[in-house]
Amino acid sequence: AELTAPEDQVMYTNAKVVLVGESQAGKSGLAMRLAHNRWEHTDSTIGVWATQLKVALSAAATDHGDREVWLWDFGGQADQRLIHQLYLGDTALAVLVFDGQRDDVIARLWDWNRALESGRSEAPKLLVAGRTDINPVRLRTVQLEQFRQAAGFSDYLVTSASTGLGCEQLRAAIIAAIDWNRVPWRSSPLIFQRLKREILKLKDAGRALTTTKELRDWLPTQIGPFDPDELDAVIGLLAGPGAVLPLEFGDHLLLQPEFINAYAQAVIKTLRDDPEERGCIPEEHVLRGELNYPKDFKRLPEGEERIVLHAMHKQLIERPICLRDHDPKAQRPTLLVFPSYFRRERPDRPGQPQSFMTYRFNGYLDEIYAALVVRLHHSEPFDSTQLWRNAADLTTQTGHQIGLRLDTRDDGSGDLELHCAPATPISEQVLFARYVHEHLQSYARDIVRLRTYICPHCATPVENRASARRRLLDGKPDILCVECEQRVVLWDEMERQLADPGLLAEVHAVRDAAQVVLDSESRERLLVGEFTAIVAAADQIAREVTVSDHGIDMEVEFRTEDGHATARKVYIQLKSGDSHLRPRKRDNQRIFRISNPRHAQYWADQAFPVMLVIRSGSGAIEWMEIREHLRTQRRIGEWPAREIVFSGQRLDVMAVRAWRAQVLREPSRPACPE
């Protein structure tokens, strides 16, 4: 189609291209050659690295617009793939680079292909042999061609980044393979192009983090005046291919989005380095950056790192790749638990739960399994999640054990075996199975359900489950037991309950309730991130209180003018959502209910001020000092206090600085006695 734009505007589009494959294939050097037409020795990519590949106008699909390619180089270590799933969205083209010297090339290529397809993207794919100057392809061309056709790769190329062999052809193939008709074209004023150019200059200079306010103040000195809405639009356009990442708190803009991935990989490395392979890490270690970093990892400055860590943490929970295991009794720190990284083998025990169903499926097994376990953990009918290597045990509402185990088959597909204690009611087995089924329908492909039938006459399992499934689908009522030659009923009570239309509504209700918990947790983490960003902008120190059941979530320690910690602080109680404030009928005052009277006593007795910080559903954050309010009420009113009239003020940098001025001005006072 002809693309036209007014004379004062330009047409342009940008596409996201990902390079994946083994580290030995030299993807980082290849990305450097493609993007900048130069080669230099590079170490293996840790996490992800993004750069812009310029598209010559002569290569454009139309002379009426400009095109851009953003090239993402993903680290090739197997441990990194789970995190990569966060970044495969909106991919316009995938380039799979492999090392042709490996004996198991085809098996590894199929493994990577499954990882790509698990992103649920229909993007075209190119197959590329890398570093062929030192690692010539040992595999016969006919074998690679068979794989290419079977896996749906549009082309196969041989390259060497160091010599430049095949790189021009690959660059042309990338531009040609992208379906530019599916990548949105945009018309934007010329001022957009100028804004974008200056932001990318800042990015190329190595700046990692900024704010839109800083950009609004700085950009006019470079290009002259512009409307703030124009800057917001340009940031949105750059965020499309992942060139920048607007964070959800603190007005921050991450100019190097790959830092999210890099810090996430440091979390995974910390898990892997744990000699006990527990698959979990204290949340406070993650948020403080107390991680095992790869050699030569360049950490961000403390203030910037804290913000990036909060953003990374929020993504891991929302995906969900990990779960927050919070101890309601506050006897241990909150843990981040990664189901895919547990390595303790499930012990053999007398009375091992029996299998009652297996789901066979394709897709990215680690992500599918992790998300399922996290959601089950937050689902009310199931409790007490115990994790093992590729297995999870839960407890039903009637106190029976139920669980699942993931086994990987030789062809890369997965078998998810469901098991339960013998006395588990069929209704609970059915609810569990249908919950798993609905999850797989959303995340996996090629799903096959296989029942485990037990002969009621001799207790022998029906070994040919595929045959039983075919007979059931064909409407045949039973199957012959090979041991006692009696008939085993296929359309039994479990199948009748699974077919009940009301079951699906029950499963959806359980799933929706779990999502409410996850969303609430996400809102709480968003408030923590926003609060941390505001305190960091005020150049003060924010810390989460990791073990407390007294209603204090964070503390802010103030610095001297030359940056030294003073040990003077304020305490913070955080609340997110509109449900925490209700209007009082007689005067419409906003009332905050104190759910635990012990909290009122604890807040009133603190040596430093206590700030109640509430974020509304619209995103407005307000604060109120409540320690003195409660002390007054203890002297003259009903005690313990049950509610507070909330007279909130806007939370911003100036508010934090005002807290600092007040606390540093006041003499140090001990906590009030009980």
Side-chain angles (χ1 to χ4, degrees):
E2 286 293 317
L3 296 171
T4 60
E7 292 184 0
D8 63 340
Q9 297 201 353
V10 293
M11 295 295 301
Y12 74 98
T13 187
N14 45 43
K16 179 179 178 181
V17 174
V18 299
L19 268 65
V20 301
E22 302 292 345
S23 299
Q24 295 89 337
K27 297 188 312 304
S28 53
L30 186 58
M32 183 69 72
R33 173 69 76 177
L34 291 172
H36 305 293
N37 197 26
R38 72 174 189 269
W39 183 85
E40 57 188 54
H41 177 75
T42 54
D43 295 327
S44 297
T45 303
I46 300 299
V48 65
W49 173 69
T51 188
Q52 190 178 15
L53 190 157
K54 305 291 185 182
V55 180
L57 288 177
S58 60
T62 173
D63 292 331
H64 297 279
D66 294 334
R67 295 184 302 167
E68 301 170 351
V69 170
W70 281 93
L71 197 62
W72 286 68
D73 168 26
F74 288 86
Q77 291 83 355
D79 285 352
Q80 300 185 22
R81 297 185 199 174
L82 182 63
I83 303 301
H84 291 341
Q85 301 303 308
L86 299 173
Y87 299 88
L88 288 177
D90 301 321
T91 296
L93 173 69
V95 180
L96 175 53
V97 188
F98 68 94
D99 177 1
Q101 283 288 298
R102 302 192 71 108
D103 294 328
D104 54 351
V105 168
I106 295 298
R108 288 177 175 271
L109 289 177
W110 277 116
D111 192 27
W112 277 103
N113 187 62
R114 282 188 289 271
L116 286 173
E117 291 181 346
S118 70
R120 295 171 289 280
S121 170
E122 299 179 358
K125 300 174 292 186
L126 294 175
L127 182 63
V128 175
R131 300 180 68 184
T132 57
D133 57 318
I134 57 175
N135 291 330
V137 179
R138 295 168 54 184
L139 206 63
R140 290 186 298 121
T141 304
V142 64
Q143 293 175 283
L144 282 171
E145 181 61 19
Q146 289 173 348
F147 166 78
R148 183 192 70 78
Q149 293 185 15
F153 285 79
S154 60
D155 203 356
Y156 165 57
L157 299 98
V158 176
T159 67
S160 166
S162 61
T163 67
L165 172 69
C167 293
E168 284 296 332
Q169 293 87 337
L170 176 56
R171 185 183 292 109
I174 287 173
I175 296 169
I178 296 172
D179 186 354
W180 293 98
N181 292 323
R182 297 184 64 178
V183 182
W185 283 84
R186 300 177 178 90
S187 171
S188 65
L190 293 175
I191 187 66
F192 278 32
Q193 296 297 90
R194 299 190 185 104
L195 287 167
K196 183 179 70 172
R197 182 175 62 247
E198 295 302 323
I199 293 173
L200 292 181
K201 282 183 181 178
L202 202 62
K203 173 185 173 72
D204 293 340
R207 180 75 176 270
L209 195 68
T210 186
T211 66
T212 53
K213 182 181 183 303
E214 289 175 340
L215 290 177
R216 291 191 187 106
D217 293 340
W218 173 73
L219 285 169
T221 66
Q222 307 299 309
I223 63 172
F226 57 86
D227 190 288
D229 290 341
E230 293 174 326
L231 175 59
D232 293 340
V234 170
I235 290 173
L237 296 175
L238 286 171
V244 301
L245 177 64
L247 303 184
E248 296 181 78
F249 48 81
D251 192 35
H252 283 91
L253 180 67
L254 189 58
L255 298 175
Q256 314 289 344
E258 54 268 29
F259 272 112
I260 296 281
N261 187 295
Y263 277 99
Q265 300 301 345
V267 173
I268 300 304
K269 185 177 188 305
T270 306
L271 295 173
R272 285 301 198 199
D273 291 346
D274 177 7
E276 297 184 24
E277 297 184 318
R278 292 166 293 186
C280 59
I281 183 174
E283 183 178 62
E284 61 184 306
H285 290 188
V286 173
L287 295 175
R288 293 176 183 174
E290 298 171 1
L291 306 170
N292 294 358
Y293 296 96
K295 183 181 179 181
D296 300 328
F297 183 88
K298 295 181 180 179
R299 296 175 62 176
L300 291 170
E302 179 185 356
E304 294 184 1
E305 181 179 80
R306 190 179 301 117
I307 292 169
V308 170
L309 287 169
H310 276 279
M312 177 269 296
H313 171 272
K314 187 171 183 293
Q315 283 198 22
L316 293 178
I317 291 175
E318 285 182 340
R319 181 70 184 200
I321 288 175
C322 68
L323 59 87
R324 293 184 74 234
D325 185 9
H326 177 72
D327 181 8
K329 297 182 180 179
Q331 294 178 350
R332 59 163 174 79
T334 297
L335 298 175
L336 296 184
V337 181
F338 292 75
S340 294
Y341 290 95
F342 261 76
R343 290 297 177 264
R344 287 185 301 171
E345 295 291 345
R346 190 169 182 266
D348 292 329
R349 302 187 297 270
Q352 194 82 359
Q354 64 185 28
S355 170
F356 65 92
M357 192 173 297
T358 299
Y359 281 96
R360 185 163 295 163
F361 62 95
N362 276 302
Y364 192 66
L365 305 187
D366 282 349
E367 182 189 24
I368 294 168
Y369 172 75
L372 174 59
V373 172
V374 170
R375 293 184 183 280
L376 283 169
H377 177 83
H378 290 290
S379 298
E380 187 173 336
F382 313 108
D383 196 9
S384 304
T385 308
Q386 175 66 59
L387 297 181
W388 312 97
R389 182 182 178 91
N390 294 328
D393 292 335
L394 304 99
T395 305
T396 69
Q397 288 184 320
T398 58
H400 292 90
Q401 188 178 0
I402 199 165
L404 49 86
R405 177 191 293 275
L406 175 65
D407 292 317
T408 303
R409 295 166 57 84
D410 292 340
D411 62 359
S413 63
D415 275 356
L416 195 63
E417 176 197 281
L418 311 187
H419 53 257
C420 65
T424 305
I426 288 181
S427 60
E428 293 183 331
Q429 297 180 47
V430 167
L431 179 63
F432 187 71
R434 192 56 189 264
Y435 190 105
V436 171
H437 187 97
E438 291 302 307
H439 177 84
L440 294 177
Q441 290 279 28
S442 300
Y443 286 84
R445 308 184 316 276
D446 311 324
I447 304 164
V448 176
R449 180 173 69 88
L450 300 171
R451 272 287 306 279
T452 300
Y453 288 97
I454 306 295
C455 176
H457 308 284
C458 66
T460 301
V462 175
E463 293 185 3
N464 195 336
R465 296 188 298 173
S467 176
R469 177 176 179 271
R470 286 192 299 270
R471 290 181 64 83
L472 183 64
L473 293 176
D474 290 341
K476 297 177 180 178
D478 52 31
I479 191 171
L480 183 69
C481 174
V482 296
E483 184 68 25
C484 68
E485 298 185 357
Q486 297 293 317
R487 307 304 295 186
V488 179
V489 176
L490 299 178
W491 185 254
D492 57 5
E493 180 60 26
M494 178 173 284
E495 293 298 326
R496 282 191 287 271
Q497 290 193 29
L498 283 169
D500 183 356
L503 176 63
L504 184 59
E506 184 178 358
V507 169
H508 286 174
V510 172
R511 183 191 62 191
D512 293 346
Q515 190 61 47
V516 167
V517 175
L518 289 169
D519 290 345
S520 175
E521 195 169 75
S522 177
R523 286 193 300 270
E524 291 173 4
R525 300 312 307 170
L526 178 59
L527 175 54
V528 170
E530 286 183 297
F531 184 83
T532 301
I534 292 171
V535 173
D539 198 26
Q540 308 305 311
I541 306 168
R543 304 187 189 94
E544 287 195 73
V545 177
T546 56
V547 180
S548 174
D549 62 347
H550 299 299
I552 288 180
D553 301 307
M554 300 187 74
E555 65 179 28
V556 177
E557 183 177 358
F558 299 111
R559 303 179 191 265
T560 62
E561 292 297 335
D562 55 0
H564 293 99
T566 64
R568 308 298 300 275
K569 60 188 69 173
V570 295
Y571 298 115
I572 310 297
Q573 163 76 158
L574 297 174
K575 295 294 181 182
S576 183
D578 294 326
S579 63
H580 297 290
L581 295 176
R582 59 173 180 81
R584 190 162 58 189
K585 291 183 178 179
R586 69 172 184 266
D587 54 10
N588 211 35
Q589 292 270 27
R590 294 183 297 171
I591 303 299
F592 173 77
R593 294 283 299 172
I594 302 175
S595 57
N596 189 339
R598 187 161 53 93
H599 288 173
Q601 184 76 33
Y602 187 71
W603 292 334
D605 289 343
Q606 290 306 304
F608 295 109
V610 178
M611 308 298 181
L612 174 60
V613 176
I614 300 180
R615 184 183 189 274
S616 70
S618 64
I621 305 178
E622 296 179 278
W623 67 276
M624 175 185 173
E625 203 285 322
I626 59 174
R627 182 189 65 169
E628 297 305 321
H629 176 92
L630 291 170
R631 287 179 175 180
T632 300
Q633 187 160 341
R634 183 164 57 183
R635 288 195 308 269
I636 64 175
E638 179 185 353
W639 191 257
R642 298 287 182 177
E643 60 183 35
I644 293 173
V645 177
F646 187 74
S647 54
Q649 305 175 53
R650 181 175 180 267
L651 179 66
D652 54 19
V653 170
M654 297 307 296
V656 175
R657 289 175 178 165
W659 298 349
R660 174 184 178 275
Q662 175 188 341
V663 170
L664 295 185
R665 188 167 55 242
E666 292 179 352
S668 179
R669 291 181 294 177
C672 291
E674 292 288 343

